[in-house]
Amino acid sequence: MANSNNRSRRGSARRRPSYTTGAARRRNRRQLLVLFLFLGVILAGYAFSRCREQHINDVAVPGHYPDLERVMGAPASSVEKDYEGFRLSFNPQNKTPDWVAWELLGVETDGPFSRGNKFHQDREMFGCPDTKDYSNSGYDRGHLCPAADQKWSSKAMSDCFYMTNMAPQVHELNAGAWKTLEEKERIWAQRDSAIIIVAGPVYSAADNKRIGQAGVRVPGGFFKCLLAPYAPQPRAIAFVYDNARCPGNMSSYACSVDEVEELTGFDFFSSLPDEIEDKVESVYSFTEWNQ
């Protein structure tokens, strides 16, 4: 009987590993199935993320519309130049820029570099006036690309004080409505992550006044065209001010980009797809911009 019991226990002992191995295999299969399902979910999520990223890359997001600062239609005698943080077309006959364009990122609206630079002549640009040409003229050296947009870089701050970036501006405009618009632009850049800004003087046949030894031509007004290409729905707006004190609400000076193109003869934001360019340049909403 003892031997029989021993055999029975030995038999049970021999059968038990077989039972344990089968259970382990089933557990392993379940674990592998869960692992594959988990990996499948991860891969599906990654694939969806990549598809969404590709979709975003195909629409209006930063960096996917190159050369938004490009402006077409300047006189053949004008010279374009890229500075740190902005580009411009300088008109040697007027001694002022035709236009100045830059992208203002939300993160660039503040920085460690304060306005401590002096105005200086760009000797590489034929026709660039000296800072003394504005002295005792009754006009400010009016920045087209403002110093407050260039606090992010020492070189950008220095470059924006080149006289190629200036035009004769009535002080009441420079320190009033023009400054107010510049302050709004920085708020809008923070809200929309970045905006494209193009600014310049407006000349008519009647604008014959010149100042300084260089003969800097005084404009009758100034324009700005703004584009928010990275907003969920890209939008644009423009402003035109007389070169004078401009009281009242900012909305009174707002207009469409198309109207400024007709006024100046320039073509703005031409690198946008035609269907987007046509839409954003033909309409504007100050309320939408200022909300």
Side-chain angles (χ1 to χ4, degrees):
M1 291 295 295
N3 289 340
S4 175
N5 288 338
N6 287 339
R7 283 197 300 271
S8 176
R9 285 194 294 269
R10 283 198 299 270
S12 299
R14 283 195 298 270
R15 289 193 298 272
R16 195 173 295 119
S18 176
Y19 173 82
T20 303
T21 301
R25 288 174 180 170
R26 286 192 292 274
R27 285 197 303 271
N28 289 340
R29 284 197 295 270
R30 286 196 296 270
Q31 290 171 352
L32 286 173
L33 180 60
V34 171
L35 178 60
F36 285 139
L37 289 173
F38 179 72
L39 290 175
V41 170
I42 292 177
L43 290 173
Y46 176 78
F48 175 80
S49 176
R50 292 292 295 174
C51 289
R52 183 174 182 274
E53 180 181 352
Q54 183 60 46
H55 172 71
I56 292 174
N57 290 344
D58 290 338
V59 297
V61 294
H64 292 271
Y65 289 138
D67 293 331
L68 285 174
E69 301 97 321
R70 180 190 300 166
V71 179
M72 310 298 290
S77 58
S78 295
V79 179
E80 289 190 25
K81 183 172 181 177
D82 286 328
Y83 292 91
E84 184 74 11
F86 63 97
R87 66 169 55 170
L88 58 77
S89 170
F90 182 75
N91 189 309
Q93 277 71 47
N94 295 334
K95 319 295 183 185
T96 63
D98 298 307
W99 50 263
V100 181
W102 65 103
E103 180 181 47
L104 180 62
L105 303 178
V107 296
E108 292 175 345
T109 57
D110 199 3
F113 301 100
S114 60
R115 179 185 174 129
N117 297 76
K118 295 181 179 181
F119 295 95
H120 41 272
Q121 185 181 36
D122 188 343
R123 300 185 183 276
E124 295 180 355
M125 297 290 277
F126 175 75
C128 178
D130 188 88
T131 181
K132 294 179 181 178
D133 287 306
Y134 284 70
S135 298
N136 302 314
S137 67
Y139 294 93
D140 289 358
R141 303 169 184 86
H143 282 79
L144 276 300
C145 179
D149 287 4
Q150 307 300 323
K151 293 179 179 180
W152 55 277
S153 164
S154 176
K155 179 168 174 49
M157 178 63 74
S158 177
D159 280 5
C160 82
F161 278 86
Y162 274 119
M163 295 301 297
T164 47
N165 183 40
M166 309 298 155
Q169 202 165 48
V170 170
H171 177 73
E172 288 78 11
L173 175 64
N174 188 26
W178 195 253
K179 180 181 178 182
T180 300
L181 177 55
E182 291 174 342
E183 292 169 348
K184 281 289 187 180
E185 290 160 9
R186 287 186 277 277
I187 294 172
W188 295 338
Q190 292 172 354
R191 179 193 63 196
D192 294 327
S193 78
I195 57 175
I196 309 298
I197 307 170
V198 187
V202 176
Y203 289 103
S204 69
D207 296 323
N208 295 318
K209 184 175 182 178
R210 292 181 180 265
I211 61 173
Q213 186 175 355
V216 183
R217 190 180 178 191
V218 179
F222 290 88
F223 73 84
K224 274 198 174 178
C225 294
L226 312 179
L227 172 69
Y230 319 137
Q233 292 296 325
R235 61 181 178 273
I237 194 170
F239 297 86
V240 177
Y241 294 95
D242 289 336
N243 194 7
R245 181 175 177 270
C246 294
N249 294 328
M250 187 185 301
S251 58
S252 302
Y253 304 92
C255 61
S256 69
V257 173
D258 277 347
E259 290 175 273
V260 176
E261 289 184 334
E262 184 176 353
L263 180 66
T264 62
F266 299 141
D267 181 10
F268 304 104
F269 315 132
S270 58
S271 65
L272 285 172
D274 289 342
E275 64 275 12
I276 296 178
E277 182 184 5
D278 292 342
K279 181 178 180 180
V280 301
E281 292 187 357
S282 61
V283 297
Y284 71 95
S285 171
F286 180 78
T287 301
E288 184 179 6
W289 274 86
N290 202 41
Q291 64 185 1

